[in-house]
Amino acid sequence: MHITGTFLDEISHDIPHQNWSQKEWDKDFQHMKAMGIDTVILIRCGYRRWITYPSKVLKEREGAYSPPIDLVEMYLTLAEKYGFSFYFGLYDSGKYWWDKGDFASEIDINLRVVDEVWQLYGHFPAFKGWYLSQEVSRKTGKIISLYQDLGRRVKDISNGLPTLISPYIDGKKAILAQESSLIKNDAVSLKQHEEEWNEIFDGIKEVVDIVAFQDGHADYDELADYFYVNKLLADRYGMSCWTNAESFDRDMPIKFLPIKWEKLKLKLEAAQKAGVEKAITFEFSHFMSPQSAYPQAGHLYQRYMDWKK
Amino acid sequence: MHITGTFLDEISHDIPHQNWSQKEWDKDFQHMKAMGIDTVILIRCGYRRWITYPSKVLKEREGAYSPPIDLVEMYLTLAEKYGFSFYFGLYDSGKYWWDKGDFASEIDINLRVVDEVWQLYGHFPAFKGWYLSQEVSRKTGKIISLYQDLGRRVKDISNGLPTLISPYIDGKKAILAQESSLIKNDAVSLKQHEEEWNEIFDGIKEVVDIVAFQDGHADYDELADYFYVNKLLADRYGMSCWTNAESFDRDMPIKFLPIKWEKLKLKLEAAQKAGVEKAITFEFSHFMSPQSAYPQAGHLYQRYMDWKK
Amino acid sequence: MHITGTFLDEISHDIPHQNWSQKEWDKDFQHMKAMGIDTVILIRCGYRRWITYPSKVLKEREGAYSPPIDLVEMYLTLAEKYGFSFYFGLYDSGKYWWDKGDFASEIDINLRVVDEVWQLYGHFPAFKGWYLSQEVSRKTGKIISLYQDLGRRVKDISNGLPTLISPYIDGKKAILAQESSLIKNDAVSLKQHEEEWNEIFDGIKEVVDIVAFQDGHADYDELADYFYVNKLLADRYGMSCWTNAESFDRDMPIKFLPIKWEKLKLKLEAAQKAGVEKAITFEFSHFMSPQSAYPQAGHLYQRYMDWKK
């Protein structure tokens, strides 16, 4: 179970920025290539007023700030250079579907973004898929409608390019980064998880091709069961089942630094045992890159490479 | 709007120490010089029992510990070597005006410190100003009297050297570093901010020459209004209006790492638009220096240098 | 008062992992040697399901995961290579004596671990002592019985090798790492501390040879008194009195980065004044090593070396 994809977490919720230029990104794609990565996924093209490309839509309608560089163009160019598939992550308003539960507005702004983006970047040969960036752990609000409407539109406009979602498990470690605690008491049960995701998958099976659950919110000894259920559900509805192997450590008071290699290895092995088809990580550049600001990341890279051989 | 000054945050409230010797500090002043810095401001000469110079006053009266080296002498010597202006930050008891609201004791100990300091270091040619280190966001207690009494004394003793304060905005991000949350609900309104600072400036206009509001506590889209009001008030009372451009990121759960370049750029541009006269930063050595323990700082330095060209 | 020992914090509660291989560990032992270290103490051989050596006992009874490498063997080999004494830290279930107060189960599992470990590693010449890893600050539950039972057994099995404990002071900084605050209000009094530890020492004097109180939970100006009392009690019961000089900073919101050198120096000097016999640190590899992921650690190492000369 090798890691062959990574998110690109520019426009981050909670991971401090490394302030890289095009030069460092090119170098990072080289490191990714050496590790066996073939897929990069932009986690989101924008969050609130911060955006990755000079979007007229988001500047006019959401008051977004003009970004210093066009990250989407840069990533697509680098992906082409290194032979990677690039997945484009949709916009996260950080408000409509968060506090207000206004999924209609979240859909509306994203439909406009999709049109704009496809016109601007659809011709790049590395543009190979879409990431529906609204991440949930439960049947939250009208999340099924949102995935349906956005999934259908991106597939229609792009001649059926694949769509990916990356939900999380509402497990004991499903804690917001800005909360100081590490464990919560009201985790979901495996049965409840299965019931809710069965219903969600049934609702989105025609417009979502790949599901890559985040692997960091349940305890390590519970993971095998969750992998098993997730694979079962994905198979039932004809979806591909990937794992989103988190390469940061959720068990430590500093939120977040690179994960202990032993933990990442355990998670990859559990995913393999369940027949999961591909592993991607959140994310390479902070937590596994030899040039990361966190030197533990470079050592994690070396441990991974030693093991992979 | 270029950054031409920085605080020196030895004796810190909340930023972990880098354990530099004179050699690293000399190197850091070289980096500052290369970036265009001409002003360094000692954030405080002491906090509780921790002090920057071997102060008899603070050892006898506050039980301060003997510092391993005389940082004030070192900074003054380096400032002279590199042609910088040095501002001396007053003592912060961390108690008199904090918990107890005993501004009289805070003033009293500082008057003694000022006498001692001017005698010890007043002859250094780089000694060019004073920083009144008690930072507030509102008309807190007898803060006007404190600025009056301390401002008058330091100017009297030093033949009128300029005095600087660096208040903050009681905005939605005015959160203590040791609190886990990032946002508070009871932020000040722009109108209330203007009323209180109008009153404070009126009370201190004769003894405070420069005001450099910290730029990190309001949201980015609110900053233009605050810069505008702050400049208006400073003009009204004949004070210079600088900006204290924070180079660390208040939006992240790790408190604190270097800021995303895009954010710093936005803040500097907003300050320029309002006619702010000079930008200083809190602070270069942790958050913008190529030799910082946080490698993101070196990348921020490069992004800033690329932009400045 | 030089630092001549360090904990080895693999299997950590709260310090993120550096992902080192044997190569980096060998290098780190060289750095330790250069600093004057002669003693290394494995903080614990396992915590919950994470273990440092391939323990049949812990895999079968506690569901422990198979570790990627045998750290105990590696450390013993390196200790021998560099002439260090190695202390083996017992297992911490993280549950029996924590939530449940079930000290009997904690003792039971450890007695089995001790048998296993002595058989596997007892022949290594560097195996020079035992660390009873259950750390307390007060007379918690049946902690005296636990130290008695485990201390007696490890001494019996190993022909009387010395035993070490490292309690903490229930002072104002006795805060869990995952709590966001830095100070608590209900700290123990010096008198209460003395009474409880007098009783504990009386109960364990025959099976515990060395006590090394952690020095980070009381305020700096209180430390002299605590060192004095701790030394007095150790002398009274014929135990050796070491200090566990914490090299990380408990006063900062990032939990944890390397300590400011001035603070470590103060603590070492206070320990020396009280006649403490040896200083060990928690711990070298993250917080004092020139190859630590935290560059402040390398600078702390340099400051320490400058001072030691």
Side-chain angles (χ1 to χ4, degrees):
Chain A
M1 188 86 266
H2 293 162
I3 295 170
T4 56
T6 182
F7 282 95
L8 300 166
D9 188 44
E10 297 288 287
I11 312 298
S12 172
H13 289 161
D14 46 23
I15 313 291
H17 205 263
Q18 304 205 74
N19 289 312
W20 288 353
S21 68
Q22 199 273 345
K23 185 180 135 204
E24 283 83 24
W25 280 111
D26 191 308
K27 186 80 186 163
D28 224 47
F29 273 55
Q30 291 176 38
H31 288 307
M32 292 178 196
K33 183 89 180 175
M35 201 181 91
I37 281 176
D38 57 30
T39 306
V40 289
I41 304 137
L42 184 69
I43 187 105
R44 57 190 75 86
C45 67
Y47 174 59
R48 297 177 186 250
R49 295 174 191 266
W50 307 104
I51 55 179
T52 53
Y53 72 100
S55 165
K56 273 186 202 168
V57 167
L58 292 171
K59 283 196 265 189
E60 279 168 18
R61 296 189 165 256
E62 301 293 325
Y65 308 120
S66 290
I69 56 163
D70 184 336
L71 286 168
V72 175
E73 184 182 32
M74 185 190 75
Y75 287 140
L76 279 163
T77 306
L78 288 173
E80 189 176 346
K81 180 174 176 186
Y82 292 102
F84 294 173
S85 297
F86 175 87
Y87 281 61
F88 180 89
L90 298 190
Y91 176 68
D92 180 348
S93 72
K95 57 181 181 189
Y96 298 133
W97 71 292
W98 285 43
D99 304 330
K100 303 185 186 166
D102 176 9
F103 286 71
S105 293
E106 188 77 8
I107 294 169
D108 179 61
I109 186 68
N110 264 296
L111 292 178
R112 294 169 197 273
V113 165
V114 167
D115 288 349
E116 181 183 56
V117 160
W118 189 250
Q119 197 170 358
L120 286 170
Y121 307 105
H123 63 285
F124 277 86
F127 200 128
K128 296 290 194 190
W130 301 90
Y131 176 60
L132 310 183
S133 65
Q134 285 72 19
E135 298 169 5
V136 295
S137 62
R138 309 287 287 265
K139 200 162 68 67
T140 303
K142 301 189 175 175
I143 192 66
I144 296 181
S145 301
L146 181 141
Y147 286 154
Q148 280 176 343
D149 291 359
L150 297 182
R152 194 176 319 279
R153 173 69 70 94
V154 296
K155 292 187 82 69
D156 282 354
I157 207 174
S158 66
N159 199 22
L161 284 183
T163 50
L164 165 70
I165 61 170
S166 186
Y168 56 103
I169 295 161
D170 193 21
K172 63 164 66 165
K173 296 196 270 183
I175 303 277
L176 287 178
Q178 63 267 37
E179 292 179 293
S180 63
S181 59
L182 296 171
I183 297 287
K184 73 174 188 178
N185 295 318
D186 56 340
V188 74
S189 68
L190 185 67
K191 188 163 169 297
Q192 184 75 12
H193 174 84
E194 182 170 358
E195 282 172 13
E196 295 193 25
W197 282 101
N198 183 64
E199 192 180 340
I200 298 173
F201 281 14
D202 191 28
I204 65 175
K205 59 182 180 292
E206 285 168 22
V207 294
V208 172
D209 301 291
I210 311 157
V211 58
F213 272 95
Q214 301 170 35
D215 73 353
H217 299 81
D219 213 343
Y220 297 90
D221 60 307
E222 303 168 329
L223 269 182
D225 289 341
Y226 277 105
F227 278 125
Y228 175 80
V229 163
N230 294 341
K231 179 69 167 87
L232 191 92
L233 292 173
D235 286 349
R236 181 179 301 159
Y237 294 103
M239 298 159 74
S240 293
C241 186
W242 296 2
T243 181
N244 178 358
E246 293 181 347
S247 39
F248 61 95
D249 205 315
R250 286 190 182 272
D251 307 325
M252 295 291 142
I254 299 183
K255 296 184 175 177
F256 301 101
L257 291 182
I259 200 170
K260 187 181 186 179
W261 160 238
E262 180 179 4
K263 295 179 178 177
L264 181 56
K265 179 170 165 280
L266 260 182
K267 297 192 296 180
L268 291 172
E269 287 168 348
Q272 178 158 40
K273 206 167 289 180
V276 166
E277 295 145 43
K278 182 183 173 87
I280 57 178
T281 187
F282 181 93
E283 39 87 278
F284 180 84
S285 300
H286 286 88
F287 303 118
M288 292 194 78
S289 170
Q291 70 175 347
S292 164
Y294 308 131
Q296 305 95 330
H299 290 296
L300 179 57
Y301 180 87
Q302 287 306 328
R303 297 297 75 73
Y304 174 82
M305 295 296 265
D306 293 346
W307 171 78
K308 195 186 156 210
K309 264 190 265 185
Chain B
M1 190 86 264
H2 293 164
I3 295 169
T4 56
T6 182
F7 282 94
L8 301 166
D9 187 44
E10 296 289 288
I11 312 296
S12 172
H13 287 162
D14 46 21
I15 313 291
H17 205 264
Q18 303 205 78
N19 289 311
W20 288 353
S21 68
Q22 199 272 346
K23 186 181 135 205
E24 283 83 23
W25 279 111
D26 192 308
K27 185 81 186 161
D28 225 47
F29 273 55
Q30 290 176 38
H31 289 307
M32 292 177 196
K33 183 90 181 173
M35 202 181 91
I37 280 175
D38 57 30
T39 306
V40 289
I41 304 136
L42 184 68
I43 188 103
R44 57 190 75 86
C45 68
Y47 174 59
R48 298 178 185 251
R49 294 175 191 266
W50 307 104
I51 57 178
T52 54
Y53 72 101
S55 165
K56 273 188 203 167
V57 167
L58 292 170
K59 281 196 267 189
E60 279 168 19
R61 296 189 164 254
E62 301 292 326
Y65 308 120
S66 289
I69 55 165
D70 184 336
L71 285 168
V72 175
E73 184 183 32
M74 185 189 76
Y75 287 140
L76 279 163
T77 306
L78 288 173
E80 189 175 346
K81 179 174 176 185
Y82 292 101
F84 295 172
S85 297
F86 175 88
Y87 282 62
F88 180 90
L90 299 190
Y91 175 68
D92 180 349
S93 72
K95 57 183 181 188
Y96 298 132
W97 70 292
W98 285 42
D99 303 332
K100 304 187 187 168
D102 176 9
F103 286 72
S105 293
E106 188 77 8
I107 294 169
D108 180 62
I109 186 68
N110 264 297
L111 292 178
R112 295 169 196 271
V113 164
V114 167
D115 287 350
E116 180 182 57
V117 160
W118 188 250
Q119 197 169 358
L120 286 170
Y121 307 105
H123 63 284
F124 278 86
F127 200 129
K128 296 289 193 191
W130 303 89
Y131 176 59
L132 310 184
S133 66
Q134 284 72 18
E135 299 169 5
V136 295
S137 62
R138 307 287 288 265
K139 200 163 67 68
T140 303
K142 302 190 175 175
I143 192 67
I144 295 179
S145 301
L146 181 142
Y147 286 156
Q148 281 174 343
D149 290 1
L150 297 182
R152 193 176 320 279
R153 173 68 69 98
V154 296
K155 291 187 84 69
D156 282 354
I157 207 174
S158 67
N159 200 20
L161 284 183
T163 50
L164 165 70
I165 61 171
S166 185
Y168 56 103
I169 295 160
D170 193 20
K172 62 164 69 165
K173 296 196 271 182
I175 304 277
L176 287 178
Q178 64 267 38
E179 292 179 294
S180 65
S181 60
L182 297 171
I183 297 287
K184 73 173 187 179
N185 294 318
D186 56 339
V188 74
S189 69
L190 186 67
K191 187 163 170 297
Q192 184 75 9
H193 174 85
E194 181 169 0
E195 282 172 14
E196 294 192 27
W197 282 100
N198 183 63
E199 192 180 339
I200 298 171
F201 281 13
D202 192 27
I204 65 175
K205 60 182 180 288
E206 284 167 23
V207 293
V208 173
D209 301 290
I210 311 159
V211 59
F213 272 95
Q214 301 170 35
D215 73 354
H217 298 81
D219 212 342
Y220 297 90
D221 59 306
E222 303 168 329
L223 267 181
D225 289 342
Y226 278 106
F227 278 126
Y228 175 81
V229 164
N230 294 341
K231 178 70 166 88
L232 191 94
L233 292 173
D235 285 349
R236 182 179 301 159
Y237 294 104
M239 297 158 77
S240 293
C241 186
W242 296 2
T243 181
N244 177 359
E246 293 181 348
S247 39
F248 60 96
D249 205 316
R250 287 190 182 271
D251 307 324
M252 294 291 143
I254 298 182
K255 295 182 175 180
F256 301 102
L257 292 182
I259 200 170
K260 186 181 186 179
W261 161 237
E262 180 179 3
K263 294 179 179 176
L264 182 56
K265 179 171 166 279
L266 261 181
K267 297 192 296 182
L268 291 172
E269 288 168 348
Q272 177 157 39
K273 206 166 289 178
V276 166
E277 293 144 44
K278 182 183 174 86
I280 57 178
T281 187
F282 183 93
E283 39 84 280
F284 181 85
S285 301
H286 286 89
F287 303 118
M288 292 194 79
S289 170
Q291 70 175 348
S292 165
Y294 309 131
Q296 305 95 329
H299 290 296
L300 179 58
Y301 180 87
Q302 287 305 330
R303 298 296 77 72
Y304 174 81
M305 295 296 265
D306 294 345
W307 170 78
K308 196 187 156 208
K309 263 189 263 183
Chain C
M1 189 86 266
H2 293 164
I3 295 170
T4 56
T6 181
F7 282 95
L8 301 167
D9 187 45
E10 297 289 287
I11 312 298
S12 171
H13 288 161
D14 46 22
I15 313 292
H17 204 263
Q18 305 205 75
N19 289 312
W20 287 353
S21 67
Q22 199 273 346
K23 187 181 133 202
E24 283 82 24
W25 279 111
D26 191 309
K27 186 80 188 164
D28 225 47
F29 273 55
Q30 290 177 38
H31 288 308
M32 293 177 195
K33 183 90 180 172
M35 202 182 92
I37 281 175
D38 57 29
T39 306
V40 289
I41 304 135
L42 184 68
I43 187 103
R44 56 190 76 86
C45 67
Y47 174 58
R48 299 179 184 248
R49 295 176 191 266
W50 307 105
I51 56 179
T52 53
Y53 71 101
S55 165
K56 273 187 202 166
V57 166
L58 293 170
K59 282 197 265 191
E60 278 168 19
R61 298 190 163 254
E62 302 293 325
Y65 307 120
S66 289
I69 55 165
D70 184 336
L71 285 168
V72 176
E73 184 183 32
M74 185 189 76
Y75 287 140
L76 279 163
T77 306
L78 287 173
E80 188 176 347
K81 180 174 175 185
Y82 292 102
F84 295 173
S85 297
F86 175 87
Y87 282 61
F88 181 90
L90 299 190
Y91 175 68
D92 180 348
S93 72
K95 57 181 180 189
Y96 299 131
W97 69 292
W98 284 45
D99 303 331
K100 304 186 187 167
D102 176 9
F103 286 71
S105 293
E106 188 78 8
I107 293 169
D108 180 61
I109 186 68
N110 264 297
L111 292 179
R112 294 169 197 271
V113 164
V114 166
D115 287 349
E116 182 183 56
V117 159
W118 189 250
Q119 197 170 359
L120 286 170
Y121 307 105
H123 62 285
F124 277 86
F127 201 129
K128 296 289 193 191
W130 302 90
Y131 176 59
L132 310 183
S133 65
Q134 285 72 18
E135 298 168 5
V136 295
S137 62
R138 308 287 288 264
K139 201 162 68 66
T140 303
K142 302 189 175 176
I143 193 66
I144 296 180
S145 301
L146 182 141
Y147 287 155
Q148 281 174 342
D149 291 0
L150 297 181
R152 192 175 322 277
R153 173 69 69 96
V154 296
K155 292 187 83 70
D156 282 353
I157 207 173
S158 65
N159 200 21
L161 284 183
T163 51
L164 166 69
I165 60 171
S166 185
Y168 56 103
I169 294 160
D170 193 21
K172 62 164 69 164
K173 295 197 271 183
I175 304 277
L176 287 178
Q178 63 266 36
E179 292 179 294
S180 64
S181 61
L182 297 171
I183 297 286
K184 72 174 188 179
N185 294 319
D186 56 339
V188 75
S189 69
L190 186 67
K191 186 162 170 298
Q192 184 75 9
H193 173 86
E194 182 170 0
E195 282 172 13
E196 295 193 25
W197 282 99
N198 184 63
E199 190 178 341
I200 298 171
F201 281 13
D202 192 26
I204 65 175
K205 60 183 180 292
E206 285 167 24
V207 293
V208 172
D209 302 291
I210 311 158
V211 59
F213 272 95
Q214 301 169 36
D215 73 354
H217 299 81
D219 212 343
Y220 297 89
D221 60 306
E222 303 168 328
L223 268 181
D225 289 341
Y226 278 105
F227 278 125
Y228 176 80
V229 164
N230 294 341
K231 179 70 166 88
L232 191 91
L233 292 172
D235 285 349
R236 181 178 302 160
Y237 295 103
M239 298 159 76
S240 293
C241 187
W242 297 1
T243 181
N244 177 359
E246 293 181 346
S247 39
F248 61 96
D249 204 315
R250 286 190 182 271
D251 307 325
M252 294 291 143
I254 299 182
K255 296 183 176 176
F256 301 101
L257 291 182
I259 200 170
K260 186 181 187 180
W261 160 239
E262 180 179 4
K263 295 178 179 176
L264 181 55
K265 179 171 166 281
L266 261 181
K267 297 192 297 182
L268 291 172
E269 288 168 349
Q272 177 157 41
K273 207 166 290 179
V276 166
E277 294 144 45
K278 181 183 176 85
I280 58 178
T281 187
F282 182 93
E283 37 84 280
F284 181 84
S285 301
H286 286 89
F287 303 119
M288 292 194 80
S289 170
Q291 70 175 348
S292 164
Y294 308 131
Q296 304 95 330
H299 291 296
L300 179 58
Y301 180 88
Q302 287 305 331
R303 297 297 77 73
Y304 175 82
M305 294 295 265
D306 293 346
W307 171 77
K308 196 187 155 207
K309 264 189 267 186

